[in-house]
Amino acid sequence: MDPRVLNVAIFIGLTHWSGRRARAEQNSVPPRRTVHHRREGFRRQRPPIVFRHIIPNILTTIVVVMTTQIGYMIIVESSLSFFGMTGSTISWGWDISQGRDYLSTAWWITSMPGIAILITVISFNILGDWLRDVLDPPP
């Protein structure tokens, strides 16, 4: 496989998707009488049941999981770029890799991209925590 940005994005997206989490959340939603009655009365109209009753119940969890996974994907992409596996020079991991030789004389070449990765990942994690608090308040 050729190491290009699109291939890396596809690899990261396919290996870190939240489909299992969505399925587990959908199974944890207790069956409601309205969904049961709609299912019995309208056998052919399953998409309206899904969009009206199931997705609003699992949307909060999916949004929070996706925001926390963004930080993880940034770390994975930076790690792959650090080792030269992406084929792209427009990455913080590549910048850190190129600055290794100058670490004793110009420490900021490696430190600034590392600090940028740190701040970005922590920001997405804080955003995910805030969204969880806003979208799913405690009872």
Side-chain angles (χ1 to χ4, degrees):
M1 182 184 267
D2 191 21
R4 299 203 179 172
V5 176
L6 181 62
N7 291 340
V8 172
I10 290 171
F11 170 75
I12 293 172
L14 288 177
T15 57
H16 301 291
W17 68 296
S18 301
R20 282 182 270 165
R21 179 70 180 164
R23 176 75 174 154
E25 185 69 24
Q26 185 264 333
N27 286 337
S28 71
V29 173
R32 294 191 170 82
R33 214 173 265 286
T34 57
V35 174
H36 179 70
H37 288 304
R38 289 186 184 270
R39 191 179 301 149
E40 291 298 322
F42 304 102
R43 288 254 182 226
R44 295 184 187 143
Q45 295 183 355
R46 284 194 185 254
I49 294 172
V50 170
F51 289 118
R52 199 171 298 155
H53 298 287
I54 296 174
I55 288 181
N57 290 320
I58 67 171
L59 190 62
T60 302
T61 304
I62 298 303
V63 167
V64 171
V65 168
M66 295 297 273
T67 55
T68 56
Q69 286 293 318
I70 289 172
Y72 183 70
M73 290 181 193
I74 289 171
I75 291 174
V76 168
E77 191 278 329
S78 297
S79 301
L80 291 173
S81 294
F82 178 80
F83 292 117
M85 295 182 184
T86 61
S88 173
T89 59
I90 306 173
S91 175
W92 286 326
W94 179 261
D95 292 341
I96 293 172
S97 174
Q98 294 302 307
R100 284 185 298 180
D101 298 333
Y102 308 105
L103 194 55
S104 62
T105 57
W107 55 270
W108 55 88
I109 295 175
T110 56
S111 298
M112 293 307 154
I115 291 171
I117 292 170
L118 177 76
I119 290 172
T120 305
V121 170
I122 289 175
S123 298
F124 275 111
N125 285 335
I126 290 172
L127 176 67
D129 288 341
W130 178 77
L131 283 173
R132 184 190 65 219
D133 292 341
V134 169
L135 296 175
D136 195 18

